[in-house]
Amino acid sequence: MAHVLVADDDADIRNLVTFKLTQSGHRITAVEEGLAALRAAREQPVDLALLDIRMPGMSGPDVCRNLRAELETAMLPVIMITARSQEGDIEAGFAAGADDYIIKPFSPRELSSRVTALLNRAAT
């Protein structure tokens, strides 16, 4: 299936997302901070990125803006995953270039469905 980049500084969330998406047949690259996420996306092609908003080194929105600014990753589907649920936080995620926004805690089934839906839209 798809190669998904998962960037979250919370090991439990990283492991949950990795487990669920692996069960769905995806290949996962998991990192714990923003700079590593940006480096991973540059070094190996991924089909979708899941980015936590608050990470050490570089925030998810900053990673997203950098991905959008580079020709090779400008069209990469991005989903923000965060506990920040205020309207302004959501607007900031979309303003940074995110395609979707998932609020923690989330259903692993919903996460998988959103990943699949975004990958399907990106493939057309």
Side-chain angles (χ1 to χ4, degrees):
M1 294 213 74
H3 183 191
V4 178
L5 171 63
V6 176
D8 197 306
D9 60 333
D10 183 325
D12 292 334
I13 297 293
R14 248 189 353 266
N15 293 337
L16 172 67
V17 171
T18 297
F19 176 75
K20 183 60 181 175
L21 295 181
T22 300
Q23 270 190 325
S24 299
H26 301 295
R27 185 166 59 100
I28 307 299
T29 296
V31 298
E32 64 185 56
E33 56 97 18
L35 291 172
L38 192 56
R39 190 170 34 257
R42 288 174 174 159
E43 292 174 358
Q44 52 184 311
V46 294
D47 300 301
L48 183 138
L50 290 161
L51 306 173
D52 184 19
I53 285 197
R54 289 186 170 210
M55 293 183 287
M58 181 181 278
S59 72
D62 287 340
V63 173
C64 189
R65 278 189 281 278
N66 275 274
L67 292 171
R68 295 288 181 244
E70 297 177 16
L71 185 60
E72 300 80 15
T73 55
M75 301 306 293
L76 179 68
V78 174
I79 299 175
M80 294 286 178
I81 300 179
T82 183
R84 300 183 62 110
S85 61
Q86 297 297 316
E87 187 175 320
D89 297 321
I90 296 168
E91 288 174 355
F94 284 119
D99 298 290
D100 201 353
Y101 195 98
I102 299 175
I103 298 169
K104 298 174 189 174
F106 55 85
S107 155
R109 184 176 294 162
E110 178 186 359
L111 171 75
S112 182
S113 294
R114 287 183 183 224
V115 166
T116 299
L118 190 52
L119 287 168
N120 287 340
R121 279 196 305 268
T124 58

